[in-house]
Each structure stands twice: as C-alpha cells, then as structure tokens.
C-alpha cells in the first residue's frame, strides 16, 4: 500500500495495487466491502503466461492482500447485508463465499451452455438473479432460489445486461438493453411474480440514460442522464445529471449535476452521491472522482486520476458501508486500473 497526496485536490489517497496488469475494483452496482468495512474486493487481470488472475480482497487498514478466487470464476459480487459473496465458476456453477474466511460453498447451477453478462446479484431473501446469454443465443434473466434449480424467467433477442435484483424485493429485477452506447429505451424492470417487463425510466427522443444502480435498501435508483445526447462537436463539454428515481419508476428528480460525469453511486444513508469524471464523446478532461451533498447539490472534485484505457479501467467509485470512504480505480500511466481509497473525513472538514 502506498499513501500519496493528490497533486490537485490535496487530499491523502491510499493506493493498494500496481501493474503491469489491471487491478480493478468491483463494479459500482454491487457492494465492494465486507460488512465490517475491513476488506474491499477487486479483480486482478490474468496476463498471458501467468496464473495469478482472479478476485482478491485487500485489508483496508494494512494493505494486506489475499486471493479469493482464481481466473475460472466470474461475476463476483457481495451481498448487500450478509457477509457473503457470490461468484460463478466455469460459467454455470454458483458459489457462496464467506467474506471472513474466503471459504466457498456451491449453491447451484445456472443453465448449461450459457454465460452471465454481468455480475451476480442477490435479494435479502437469498434469491440470486443475473442477466444471461443462453446456449440457444437468446438473452435471458435467470433466478436461483436457495435449494432450488435455476429458472429462466424472461427471454429476449435484445442483448440484456446490468441486471440487478432489488435488494429488498426479490420479485423486481432491473436490467438494460445493452447497445454499448445510447439506446431508444435502455432501462427496464421485470416483475418475476407477474411475469411482465416494463420500461423503468421512459426515454424521450434525444435523451441519453446510462449507468444505473439501486440504493442499498432498494427504495430508489440513481442513473445518469447525459446532456446533450447524440453527435457533438469535438471538445464540447457534457453535463452529467444524476437522477434519482423511486422504486416503481413513477417519480424522478435531478439531484446533482457536473461536467463529464458517468457512473453514479448512493451512500447507504442516502445523504451523499459520488460519480467519476471521465473523458468521453471527444471531450478530454482531467479525470477523477466527484462527491455531492445530496440535500444541497454541492459538489467537489476530491481525487484526480489517470486516463482510462478501456471501460474496465473506469474509476467506478462507490462508498464503503459506513459511508466515510470511497473506493475507486485509478488508471496508471498505462491506463490500467489500480485500486485506491480516499477517506472522506478529510473532505468533510473543509466542506
């Protein structure tokens, strides 16, 4: 672990990894920390000729790093409330991981011949859900209940991704139509009990909605609305508006705005938002992490980073469970993500 002072913001940052491979935090749409905030989890890229890829955990205080899974596992994510992680081996075997001991227990199998198209997610009942590419090449939503066989609950010829079961409602699964860019209608909600899909945020022409995440309690979602959408002149600055929507998708408010934002996240107490600032759509900016006070909309750049080489190297900032630290990926000189933590107590002293 290296401690450095950000040359622009002046805040102290702890960096836990170095290359040459990518070491990227878990995606912002799941918890990244153990329930006691002692550990966070990240993915190490497996380079050719090496065998050390997989999921790792880092001790926040000491920087000590342990390997959790090897490179045959995918889709690792941690439970919103329990000290458990979920991961998938050889595309179909689902395991629960004890985050205190790293012990693993197989809990079921996903449909044979397919693969997940994101990470696993879990409701507070233990139901697991994911978006899935079936062997017949249809896309699907799949659920796995404790002690039962996996069930395909929805199929589509659209490319489905970013599936996130509601943490407090096992019958609601959020998902998107993945275009790797703008979509006519990106966000969808599937009702498992009623067996129907409906738009979540209903998009109007020229709206660009992207990068959505449940709050930890499942009462609302944050999503990014980019403005303007569509082709722009090179160098034009874009506004990222963080929109908060209720669980049912009936009411939406813009709660924060700033330039070149992309991935939003909500603290567990709902008081704070964060997002990464990224160069995109032909616009070059100083990349980094921005913190927002939700009640006032006040914002502050709290950490600067290198430039991302790929989407996997994006900063993807997210809060720890207590809400006083933010974990983010900081691309190194090669553009490869390296995991960092910033303590927010130093920021709040100057807020």
């Amino acid at each position: 672990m290296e401690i450095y002072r950000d040359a622009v913001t002046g805040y102290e940052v702890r960096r836990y990894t170095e290359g040459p491979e990518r070491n990227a935090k878990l995606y912002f749409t799941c918890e990244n920390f153990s329930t006691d905030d002692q550990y966070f989890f990240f993915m190490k890229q497996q380079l050719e000729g090496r065998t050390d890829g997989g999921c790792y955990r880092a001790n926040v205080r000491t920087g000590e790093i342990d390997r959790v899974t090897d490179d045959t596992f995918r889709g690792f994510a941690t439970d919103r409330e329990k000290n458990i992680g979920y991961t998938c081996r050889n595309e179909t075997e689902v395991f629960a991981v004890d985050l205190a001991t790293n012990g693993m227990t197989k809990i079921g199998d996903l449909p044979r011949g397919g693969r997940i198209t994101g990470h696993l997610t879990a409701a507070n009942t233990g139901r697991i859900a994911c978006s899935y590419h079936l062997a017949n090449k249809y896309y699907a939503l799949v659920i796995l209940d404790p002690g039962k066989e996996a069930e395909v609950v929805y199929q589509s010829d659209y490319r489905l991704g970013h599936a996130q079961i509601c943490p407090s409602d096992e019958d609601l699964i959020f998902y998107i139509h993945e275009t790797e860019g703008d979509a006519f209608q990106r966000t969808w909600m599937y009702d498992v009990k009623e067996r129907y899909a409906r738009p979540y945020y209903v998009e109007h022409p020229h709206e660009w909605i992207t990068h959505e995440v449940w709050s930890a309690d499942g009462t609302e979602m944050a999503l990014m609305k980019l403005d303007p959408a569509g082709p722009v002149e090179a160098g034009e600055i874009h506004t990222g508006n963080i929109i908060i929507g209720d669980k049912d998708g009936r009411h939406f408010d813009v709660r924060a705005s700033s330039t070149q934002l992309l991935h939003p996240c909500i603290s567990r107490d709902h008081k704070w938002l964060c997002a990464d600032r990224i160069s995109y759509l032909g616009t070059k900016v100083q990349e980094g992490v921005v913190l927002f006070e939700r009640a006032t909309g006040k914002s502050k750049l709290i950490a600067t980073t290198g430039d991302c080489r790929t989407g996997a190297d994006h900063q993807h900032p997210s809060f720890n469970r207590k809400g006083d630290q933010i974990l983010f990926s900081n691309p190194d000189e090669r553009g490869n993500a390296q995991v960092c933590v910033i303590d927010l107590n130093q920021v709040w002293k100057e807020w």
Side-chain angles (χ1 to χ4, degrees), residues 32-296:
N32 276 238
F33 289 78
S34 57
T35 53
D36 59 4
D37 283 333
Q38 181 179 357
Y39 301 102
F40 68 79
F41 298 83
F42 68 95
M43 303 302 298
K44 177 187 284 288
Q45 178 188 17
Q46 182 156 302
L47 298 180
E48 185 176 356
R50 289 170 51 174
T51 59
D52 59 347
C55 180
Y56 285 73
R57 73 174 186 182
N59 186 300
V60 177
R61 183 180 60 84
T62 67
E64 182 181 3
I65 290 175
D66 301 308
R67 194 180 192 185
V68 181
T69 72
D70 62 32
D71 199 47
T72 62
F73 289 83
R74 297 182 62 238
F76 187 92
T78 62
D79 194 277
R80 290 289 190 180
E81 302 299 333
K82 298 183 286 292
N83 206 34
I84 298 174
Y86 304 98
T87 187
C88 186
R89 184 176 68 184
N90 297 325
E91 306 292 354
T92 60
E93 299 177 277
V94 179
F95 288 80
V97 182
D98 185 318
L99 300 185
T101 67
N102 290 343
M104 302 179 67
T105 304
K106 184 174 177 179
I107 57 177
D109 293 278
L110 298 174
R112 182 174 300 177
R115 62 177 181 84
I116 56 177
T117 63
H119 60 73
L120 300 174
T121 66
N124 55 8
T125 59
R127 171 176 286 177
I128 292 172
C130 63
S131 48
Y132 204 70
H133 199 192
L134 296 166
N136 63 10
K137 304 308 177 185
Y138 292 165
Y139 286 90
L141 299 177
V142 178
I143 63 172
L144 178 63
D145 288 322
K148 297 182 179 179
E149 292 187 3
E151 179 184 0
V152 175
V153 295
Y154 179 69
Q155 297 185 65
S156 174
D157 53 4
Y158 284 99
R159 182 182 174 188
L160 306 185
H162 290 220
Q164 305 171 54
I165 196 168
C166 178
S168 56
D169 187 343
E170 67 170 13
D171 288 321
L172 282 184
I173 304 174
F174 174 88
Y175 69 96
I176 67 163
H177 287 173
E178 179 63 89
T179 66
E180 297 185 350
D182 198 6
F184 288 120
Q185 174 58 46
R186 172 182 165 97
T187 62
W188 297 81
M189 197 73 75
Y190 185 75
D191 190 305
V192 175
K193 184 180 294 184
E194 300 297 332
R195 290 299 201 266
Y196 76 90
R198 59 177 171 82
Y200 176 63
Y201 180 94
V202 179
E203 294 189 48
H204 297 84
H206 309 301
E207 286 191 308
W208 191 324
I209 301 298
T210 187
H211 294 113
E212 310 79 9
V213 59
W214 282 110
S215 61
D217 60 6
T219 60
E220 58 185 12
M221 296 196 79
L223 51 152
M224 194 68 71
K225 180 175 181 289
L226 303 185
D227 180 36
V232 296
E233 296 295 328
E236 182 175 350
I237 297 294
H238 298 262
T239 298
N241 300 292
I242 301 178
I243 297 178
I244 303 296
D246 61 12
K247 174 181 172 181
D248 295 325
R250 299 178 184 275
H251 184 82
F252 297 87
D253 289 312
V254 176
R255 299 309 299 262
S257 298
S258 192
T259 57
Q260 296 289 133
L261 302 181
L262 200 55
H263 304 89
C265 202
I266 310 172
S267 64
R268 292 176 74 91
D269 63 7
H270 298 259
K271 294 180 179 180
W272 299 91
L273 304 170
C274 67
D276 43 13
R277 176 170 288 157
I278 292 179
S279 300
Y280 57 75
L281 296 178
T283 301
K284 173 72 173 171
V285 295
Q286 169 60 68
E287 302 197 3
V289 177
V290 183
L291 179 69
F292 300 88
E293 186 177 33
R294 184 168 169 179
T296 64

